[in-house]
Amino acid sequence: MARFAMVIDTRRCVGCMDCVVACKTENSVPEGFNRDWITTAVKGKMPDLHMEIRTERCNHCSNPPCVHCCPTGASHVHDIGGVVLVTHNECIGCKACVASCPYDARFIHPDGYADKCTFCIHRTEKGELPACVSVCPTHCMHFGDLDNPESEVSKLLNSRNYHVNHPAAGTEPHVYYLT
Ligand code: SF4
Ligand code: SF4
Ligand code: SF4
């Protein structure tokens, strides 16, 4: 078993958007839509303020409302890495999952199915890195197996402070931001 996760060092991200471009290209994401994106947030207290730049995407939650609400079972948890996926030909485009996601990570593809980040499962199930991680020029993105205590992602979470987005939503997200 494996539990895939992404660990992102916000101190090293420069907001270059190479990860966004790589994802669009790798996954043929249609014009006007994105599977990953950049947000900024001002952190700290006056006068000690800094800007956190975050690359965001589906969090591949362990308690995913998008899966629980799907009427057809198209949205599901994959048996590799706990990745949340959509079976395109079982999706009826009802948008229940889009509305349920606290991260606004999903959209309806022009071909009629719900779409979002897949943690590049076509690459990661073969042991390769997601496209976004592979191109990041500052190497601030890390991907691996949280069930392996020797993995880079496990070691980073054991040695650094971090946060997740919207923890109060109770979705148990698996994209972590080192601070
Ligand atoms: Fe940040 Fe890396 Fe994405 Fe550039 S490629 S915006 S440095 S995460
Ligand atoms: Fe579902 Fe949204 Fe969690 Fe992704 S981030 S698994 S789309 S609830
Ligand atoms: Fe896009 Fe793949 Fe990165 Fe997800 S893991 S944001 S699908 S490139």
Side-chain angles (χ1 to χ4, degrees), residues 50-87:
H50 73 277
M51 180 173 287
E52 181 176 280
I53 307 173
R54 289 194 301 265
T55 172
E56 298 188 352
R57 61 196 36 67
C58 169
N59 286 264
H60 298 278
C61 307
S62 283
N63 184 24
C66 56
V67 172
H68 302 325
C69 75
C70 178
T72 68
S75 284
H76 65 281
V77 178
H78 192 45
D79 52 8
I80 297 176
V83 174
V84 174
L85 298 178
V86 179
T87 306

mmCIF file of all heavy atoms in Angstrom, residues 50-87:
data_model
loop_
_atom_site.group_PDB
_atom_site.id
_atom_site.type_symbol
_atom_site.label_atom_id
_atom_site.label_comp_id
_atom_site.label_asym_id
_atom_site.label_seq_id
_atom_site.Cartn_x
_atom_site.Cartn_y
_atom_site.Cartn_z
ATOM 1 N N HIS A 50 5.107 38.570 5.628
ATOM 2 C CA HIS A 50 5.676 38.008 4.419
ATOM 3 C C HIS A 50 4.573 37.424 3.562
ATOM 4 O O HIS A 50 3.480 37.141 4.041
ATOM 5 C CB HIS A 50 6.747 36.952 4.730
ATOM 6 C CG HIS A 50 6.192 35.672 5.241
ATOM 7 N ND1 HIS A 50 5.856 35.467 6.561
ATOM 8 C CD2 HIS A 50 5.894 34.513 4.600
ATOM 9 C CE1 HIS A 50 5.384 34.239 6.709
ATOM 10 N NE2 HIS A 50 5.397 33.643 5.544
ATOM 11 N N MET A 51 4.893 37.251 2.280
ATOM 12 C CA MET A 51 3.890 36.717 1.367
ATOM 13 C C MET A 51 4.161 35.241 1.104
ATOM 14 O O MET A 51 5.274 34.867 0.752
ATOM 15 C CB MET A 51 3.889 37.488 0.048
ATOM 16 C CG MET A 51 2.846 36.943 -0.922
ATOM 17 S SD MET A 51 2.680 37.932 -2.386
ATOM 18 C CE MET A 51 1.834 39.362 -1.750
ATOM 19 N N GLU A 52 3.129 34.426 1.317
ATOM 20 C CA GLU A 52 3.254 33.008 1.006
ATOM 21 C C GLU A 52 2.675 32.775 -0.391
ATOM 22 O O GLU A 52 1.538 33.163 -0.665
ATOM 23 C CB GLU A 52 2.490 32.179 2.036
ATOM 24 C CG GLU A 52 2.597 30.685 1.775
ATOM 25 C CD GLU A 52 1.917 29.872 2.859
ATOM 26 O OE1 GLU A 52 2.523 29.691 3.923
ATOM 27 O OE2 GLU A 52 0.764 29.444 2.644
ATOM 28 N N ILE A 53 3.479 32.150 -1.251
ATOM 29 C CA ILE A 53 3.015 31.799 -2.598
ATOM 30 C C ILE A 53 2.770 30.300 -2.605
ATOM 31 O O ILE A 53 3.640 29.519 -2.209
ATOM 32 C CB ILE A 53 4.061 32.173 -3.659
ATOM 33 C CG1 ILE A 53 4.482 33.642 -3.524
ATOM 34 C CG2 ILE A 53 3.520 31.906 -5.061
ATOM 35 C CD1 ILE A 53 5.645 34.035 -4.429
ATOM 36 N N ARG A 54 1.565 29.914 -3.030
ATOM 37 C CA ARG A 54 1.218 28.483 -2.987
ATOM 38 C C ARG A 54 0.782 27.993 -4.361
ATOM 39 O O ARG A 54 -0.048 28.627 -5.013
ATOM 40 C CB ARG A 54 0.059 28.229 -2.018
ATOM 41 C CG ARG A 54 0.391 28.385 -0.562
ATOM 42 C CD ARG A 54 -0.717 27.791 0.285
ATOM 43 N NE ARG A 54 -1.996 28.411 0.034
ATOM 44 C CZ ARG A 54 -2.513 29.420 0.751
ATOM 45 N NH1 ARG A 54 -1.837 29.922 1.763
ATOM 46 N NH2 ARG A 54 -3.692 29.910 0.444
ATOM 47 N N THR A 55 1.297 26.856 -4.769
ATOM 48 C CA THR A 55 0.760 26.151 -5.925
ATOM 49 C C THR A 55 -0.295 25.174 -5.399
ATOM 50 O O THR A 55 -0.020 24.362 -4.519
ATOM 51 C CB THR A 55 1.888 25.449 -6.719
ATOM 52 O OG1 THR A 55 1.307 24.625 -7.738
ATOM 53 C CG2 THR A 55 2.787 24.602 -5.856
ATOM 54 N N GLU A 56 -1.522 25.302 -5.925
ATOM 55 C CA GLU A 56 -2.641 24.532 -5.381
ATOM 56 C C GLU A 56 -3.259 23.625 -6.444
ATOM 57 O O GLU A 56 -3.164 23.891 -7.638
ATOM 58 C CB GLU A 56 -3.708 25.479 -4.816
ATOM 59 C CG GLU A 56 -3.190 26.323 -3.675
ATOM 60 C CD GLU A 56 -4.279 27.123 -2.971
ATOM 61 O OE1 GLU A 56 -5.437 27.144 -3.447
ATOM 62 O OE2 GLU A 56 -3.978 27.757 -1.952
ATOM 63 N N ARG A 57 -3.959 22.574 -5.959
ATOM 64 C CA ARG A 57 -4.595 21.577 -6.826
ATOM 65 C C ARG A 57 -5.496 20.717 -5.956
ATOM 66 O O ARG A 57 -5.599 20.952 -4.763
ATOM 67 C CB ARG A 57 -3.518 20.688 -7.501
ATOM 68 C CG ARG A 57 -2.734 19.969 -6.441
ATOM 69 C CD ARG A 57 -1.430 19.348 -6.863
ATOM 70 N NE ARG A 57 -0.607 20.007 -7.833
ATOM 71 C CZ ARG A 57 0.032 21.178 -7.671
ATOM 72 N NH1 ARG A 57 -0.088 21.828 -6.522
ATOM 73 N NH2 ARG A 57 0.774 21.699 -8.608
ATOM 74 N N CYS A 58 -6.134 19.707 -6.538
ATOM 75 C CA CYS A 58 -6.877 18.727 -5.744
ATOM 76 C C CYS A 58 -5.971 18.166 -4.650
ATOM 77 O O CYS A 58 -4.802 17.866 -4.884
ATOM 78 C CB CYS A 58 -7.358 17.592 -6.636
ATOM 79 S SG CYS A 58 -8.017 16.175 -5.724
ATOM 80 N N ASN A 59 -6.517 18.015 -3.454
ATOM 81 C CA ASN A 59 -5.744 17.544 -2.294
ATOM 82 C C ASN A 59 -5.802 16.027 -2.098
ATOM 83 O O ASN A 59 -5.283 15.527 -1.120
ATOM 84 C CB ASN A 59 -6.248 18.245 -1.036
ATOM 85 C CG ASN A 59 -5.791 19.692 -0.966
ATOM 86 O OD1 ASN A 59 -4.787 20.000 -0.323
ATOM 87 N ND2 ASN A 59 -6.477 20.594 -1.634
ATOM 88 N N HIS A 60 -6.491 15.325 -2.986
ATOM 89 C CA HIS A 60 -6.576 13.868 -2.878
ATOM 90 C C HIS A 60 -6.887 13.455 -1.438
ATOM 91 O O HIS A 60 -6.160 12.690 -0.803
ATOM 92 C CB HIS A 60 -5.305 13.220 -3.455
ATOM 93 C CG HIS A 60 -5.165 13.548 -4.913
ATOM 94 N ND1 HIS A 60 -5.834 12.852 -5.889
ATOM 95 C CD2 HIS A 60 -4.541 14.571 -5.548
ATOM 96 C CE1 HIS A 60 -5.592 13.423 -7.076
ATOM 97 N NE2 HIS A 60 -4.808 14.457 -6.890
ATOM 98 N N CYS A 61 -8.015 14.003 -0.985
ATOM 99 C CA CYS A 61 -8.424 13.886 0.417
ATOM 100 C C CYS A 61 -8.717 12.438 0.811
ATOM 101 O O CYS A 61 -9.228 11.654 -0.001
ATOM 102 C CB CYS A 61 -9.675 14.736 0.646
ATOM 103 S SG CYS A 61 -9.489 16.450 0.106
ATOM 104 N N SER A 62 -8.443 12.130 2.082
ATOM 105 C CA SER A 62 -8.793 10.796 2.598
ATOM 106 C C SER A 62 -10.267 10.697 2.965
ATOM 107 O O SER A 62 -10.799 9.601 3.106
ATOM 108 C CB SER A 62 -7.945 10.467 3.828
ATOM 109 O OG SER A 62 -6.651 10.105 3.448
ATOM 110 N N ASN A 63 -10.900 11.847 3.173
ATOM 111 C CA ASN A 63 -12.341 11.880 3.462
ATOM 112 C C ASN A 63 -12.994 12.799 2.430
ATOM 113 O O ASN A 63 -13.415 13.914 2.740
ATOM 114 C CB ASN A 63 -12.562 12.400 4.891
ATOM 115 C CG ASN A 63 -14.017 12.380 5.293
ATOM 116 O OD1 ASN A 63 -14.819 11.609 4.746
ATOM 117 N ND2 ASN A 63 -14.385 13.240 6.226
ATOM 118 N N PRO A 64 -13.056 12.346 1.177
ATOM 119 C CA PRO A 64 -13.396 13.251 0.057
ATOM 120 C C PRO A 64 -14.906 13.412 -0.156
ATOM 121 O O PRO A 64 -15.580 12.469 -0.606
ATOM 122 C CB PRO A 64 -12.762 12.552 -1.147
ATOM 123 C CG PRO A 64 -12.729 11.095 -0.779
ATOM 124 C CD PRO A 64 -12.684 11.002 0.720
ATOM 125 N N PRO A 65 -15.456 14.587 0.099
ATOM 126 C CA PRO A 65 -16.882 14.801 -0.134
ATOM 127 C C PRO A 65 -17.273 14.609 -1.595
ATOM 128 O O PRO A 65 -18.398 14.203 -1.900
ATOM 129 C CB PRO A 65 -17.109 16.261 0.309
ATOM 130 C CG PRO A 65 -15.759 16.888 0.357
ATOM 131 C CD PRO A 65 -14.796 15.788 0.636
ATOM 132 N N CYS A 66 -16.344 14.846 -2.508
ATOM 133 C CA CYS A 66 -16.619 14.674 -3.942
ATOM 134 C C CYS A 66 -16.907 13.223 -4.286
ATOM 135 O O CYS A 66 -17.666 12.944 -5.214
ATOM 136 C CB CYS A 66 -15.429 15.195 -4.748
ATOM 137 S SG CYS A 66 -13.876 14.392 -4.289
ATOM 138 N N VAL A 67 -16.294 12.308 -3.554
ATOM 139 C CA VAL A 67 -16.552 10.877 -3.765
ATOM 140 C C VAL A 67 -17.850 10.477 -3.078
ATOM 141 O O VAL A 67 -18.679 9.767 -3.643
ATOM 142 C CB VAL A 67 -15.367 10.032 -3.238
ATOM 143 C CG1 VAL A 67 -15.698 8.538 -3.267
ATOM 144 C CG2 VAL A 67 -14.111 10.305 -4.063
ATOM 145 N N HIS A 68 -18.031 10.984 -1.838
ATOM 146 C CA HIS A 68 -19.226 10.598 -1.074
ATOM 147 C C HIS A 68 -20.519 11.036 -1.785
ATOM 148 O O HIS A 68 -21.534 10.350 -1.695
ATOM 149 C CB HIS A 68 -19.195 11.220 0.328
ATOM 150 C CG HIS A 68 -17.977 10.835 1.126
ATOM 151 N ND1 HIS A 68 -17.378 9.596 1.034
ATOM 152 C CD2 HIS A 68 -17.236 11.524 2.049
ATOM 153 C CE1 HIS A 68 -16.322 9.546 1.833
ATOM 154 N NE2 HIS A 68 -16.211 10.703 2.462
ATOM 155 N N CYS A 69 -20.478 12.180 -2.493
ATOM 156 C CA CYS A 69 -21.722 12.715 -3.061
ATOM 157 C C CYS A 69 -21.980 12.244 -4.492
ATOM 158 O O CYS A 69 -23.041 12.520 -5.050
ATOM 159 C CB CYS A 69 -21.715 14.248 -3.019
ATOM 160 S SG CYS A 69 -20.655 14.998 -4.267
ATOM 161 N N CYS A 70 -21.030 11.555 -5.093
ATOM 162 C CA CYS A 70 -21.166 11.190 -6.517
ATOM 163 C C CYS A 70 -22.250 10.127 -6.694
ATOM 164 O O CYS A 70 -22.150 9.031 -6.133
ATOM 165 C CB CYS A 70 -19.819 10.693 -7.047
ATOM 166 S SG CYS A 70 -19.892 10.173 -8.773
ATOM 167 N N PRO A 71 -23.277 10.420 -7.487
ATOM 168 C CA PRO A 71 -24.402 9.480 -7.592
ATOM 169 C C PRO A 71 -24.107 8.242 -8.434
ATOM 170 O O PRO A 71 -24.836 7.258 -8.362
ATOM 171 C CB PRO A 71 -25.505 10.331 -8.247
ATOM 172 C CG PRO A 71 -24.781 11.376 -9.016
ATOM 173 C CD PRO A 71 -23.525 11.659 -8.255
ATOM 174 N N THR A 72 -23.066 8.256 -9.240
ATOM 175 C CA THR A 72 -22.797 7.120 -10.132
ATOM 176 C C THR A 72 -21.573 6.301 -9.732
ATOM 177 O O THR A 72 -21.337 5.241 -10.324
ATOM 178 C CB THR A 72 -22.550 7.617 -11.574
ATOM 179 O OG1 THR A 72 -21.310 8.338 -11.608
ATOM 180 C CG2 THR A 72 -23.688 8.510 -12.057
ATOM 181 N N GLY A 73 -20.792 6.814 -8.786
ATOM 182 C CA GLY A 73 -19.550 6.129 -8.455
ATOM 183 C C GLY A 73 -18.406 6.494 -9.386
ATOM 184 O O GLY A 73 -17.316 5.914 -9.294
ATOM 185 N N ALA A 74 -18.638 7.456 -10.302
ATOM 186 C CA ALA A 74 -17.555 7.878 -11.206
ATOM 187 C C ALA A 74 -16.374 8.447 -10.424
ATOM 188 O O ALA A 74 -15.213 8.145 -10.713
ATOM 189 C CB ALA A 74 -18.085 8.926 -12.188
ATOM 190 N N SER A 75 -16.666 9.267 -9.401
ATOM 191 C CA SER A 75 -15.602 9.769 -8.532
ATOM 192 C C SER A 75 -15.284 8.681 -7.517
ATOM 193 O O SER A 75 -16.170 8.184 -6.827
ATOM 194 C CB SER A 75 -16.060 11.038 -7.791
ATOM 195 O OG SER A 75 -16.036 12.142 -8.655
ATOM 196 N N HIS A 76 -14.021 8.327 -7.439
ATOM 197 C CA HIS A 76 -13.644 7.203 -6.576
ATOM 198 C C HIS A 76 -12.218 7.358 -6.080
ATOM 199 O O HIS A 76 -11.450 8.171 -6.601
ATOM 200 C CB HIS A 76 -13.788 5.896 -7.357
ATOM 201 C CG HIS A 76 -12.841 5.782 -8.518
ATOM 202 N ND1 HIS A 76 -13.055 6.427 -9.733
ATOM 203 C CD2 HIS A 76 -11.660 5.128 -8.660
ATOM 204 C CE1 HIS A 76 -12.061 6.155 -10.566
ATOM 205 N NE2 HIS A 76 -11.192 5.383 -9.929
ATOM 206 N N VAL A 77 -11.886 6.553 -5.075
ATOM 207 C CA VAL A 77 -10.514 6.514 -4.562
ATOM 208 C C VAL A 77 -9.807 5.345 -5.239
ATOM 209 O O VAL A 77 -10.243 4.192 -5.135
ATOM 210 C CB VAL A 77 -10.505 6.347 -3.025
ATOM 211 C CG1 VAL A 77 -9.060 6.269 -2.518
ATOM 212 C CG2 VAL A 77 -11.243 7.498 -2.356
ATOM 213 N N HIS A 78 -8.730 5.664 -5.933
ATOM 214 C CA HIS A 78 -7.968 4.662 -6.679
ATOM 215 C C HIS A 78 -7.207 3.764 -5.710
ATOM 216 O O HIS A 78 -6.818 4.203 -4.625
ATOM 217 C CB HIS A 78 -6.988 5.414 -7.592
ATOM 218 C CG HIS A 78 -6.311 4.587 -8.629
ATOM 219 N ND1 HIS A 78 -6.959 3.669 -9.409
ATOM 220 C CD2 HIS A 78 -5.010 4.554 -9.028
ATOM 221 C CE1 HIS A 78 -6.101 3.110 -10.249
ATOM 222 N NE2 HIS A 78 -4.910 3.626 -10.030
ATOM 223 N N ASP A 79 -6.980 2.513 -6.116
ATOM 224 C CA ASP A 79 -6.287 1.607 -5.185
ATOM 225 C C ASP A 79 -4.777 1.852 -5.156
ATOM 226 O O ASP A 79 -4.082 1.281 -4.320
ATOM 227 C CB ASP A 79 -6.611 0.133 -5.503
ATOM 228 C CG ASP A 79 -6.375 -0.225 -6.957
ATOM 229 O OD1 ASP A 79 -5.819 0.620 -7.695
ATOM 230 O OD2 ASP A 79 -6.756 -1.344 -7.351
ATOM 231 N N ILE A 80 -4.268 2.709 -6.032
ATOM 232 C CA ILE A 80 -2.849 3.071 -5.960
ATOM 233 C C ILE A 80 -2.721 4.455 -5.335
ATOM 234 O O ILE A 80 -3.220 5.448 -5.882
ATOM 235 C CB ILE A 80 -2.182 3.055 -7.352
ATOM 236 C CG1 ILE A 80 -2.216 1.633 -7.929
ATOM 237 C CG2 ILE A 80 -0.745 3.564 -7.279
ATOM 238 C CD1 ILE A 80 -1.674 1.529 -9.338
ATOM 239 N N GLY A 81 -2.092 4.529 -4.188
ATOM 240 C CA GLY A 81 -1.752 5.808 -3.571
ATOM 241 C C GLY A 81 -2.909 6.574 -2.955
ATOM 242 O O GLY A 81 -2.733 7.709 -2.522
ATOM 243 N N GLY A 82 -4.110 5.997 -2.927
ATOM 244 C CA GLY A 82 -5.254 6.728 -2.366
ATOM 245 C C GLY A 82 -5.646 7.942 -3.185
ATOM 246 O O GLY A 82 -6.314 8.859 -2.696
ATOM 247 N N VAL A 83 -5.248 7.951 -4.478
ATOM 248 C CA VAL A 83 -5.521 9.096 -5.352
ATOM 249 C C VAL A 83 -7.013 9.131 -5.712
ATOM 250 O O VAL A 83 -7.615 8.093 -5.971
ATOM 251 C CB VAL A 83 -4.646 8.987 -6.626
ATOM 252 C CG1 VAL A 83 -4.994 10.057 -7.637
ATOM 253 C CG2 VAL A 83 -3.174 9.063 -6.246
ATOM 254 N N VAL A 84 -7.598 10.330 -5.708
ATOM 255 C CA VAL A 84 -9.012 10.501 -6.058
ATOM 256 C C VAL A 84 -9.117 10.756 -7.564
ATOM 257 O O VAL A 84 -8.488 11.683 -8.087
ATOM 258 C CB VAL A 84 -9.640 11.657 -5.250
ATOM 259 C CG1 VAL A 84 -11.075 11.924 -5.715
ATOM 260 C CG2 VAL A 84 -9.620 11.327 -3.757
ATOM 261 N N LEU A 85 -9.884 9.917 -8.246
ATOM 262 C CA LEU A 85 -9.982 9.982 -9.708
ATOM 263 C C LEU A 85 -11.438 10.023 -10.156
ATOM 264 O O LEU A 85 -12.346 9.767 -9.360
ATOM 265 C CB LEU A 85 -9.301 8.752 -10.333
ATOM 266 C CG LEU A 85 -7.802 8.585 -10.079
ATOM 267 C CD1 LEU A 85 -7.313 7.288 -10.721
ATOM 268 C CD2 LEU A 85 -7.003 9.769 -10.605
ATOM 269 N N VAL A 86 -11.628 10.317 -11.438
ATOM 270 C CA VAL A 86 -12.962 10.308 -12.045
ATOM 271 C C VAL A 86 -12.930 9.361 -13.248
ATOM 272 O O VAL A 86 -12.072 9.498 -14.126
ATOM 273 C CB VAL A 86 -13.364 11.722 -12.540
ATOM 274 C CG1 VAL A 86 -14.750 11.692 -13.189
ATOM 275 C CG2 VAL A 86 -13.330 12.734 -11.396
ATOM 276 N N THR A 87 -13.846 8.398 -13.289
ATOM 277 C CA THR A 87 -13.996 7.543 -14.476
ATOM 278 C C THR A 87 -14.879 8.300 -15.465
ATOM 279 O O THR A 87 -16.089 8.465 -15.234
ATOM 280 C CB THR A 87 -14.642 6.190 -14.100
ATOM 281 O OG1 THR A 87 -13.880 5.595 -13.047
ATOM 282 C CG2 THR A 87 -14.664 5.254 -15.299
#
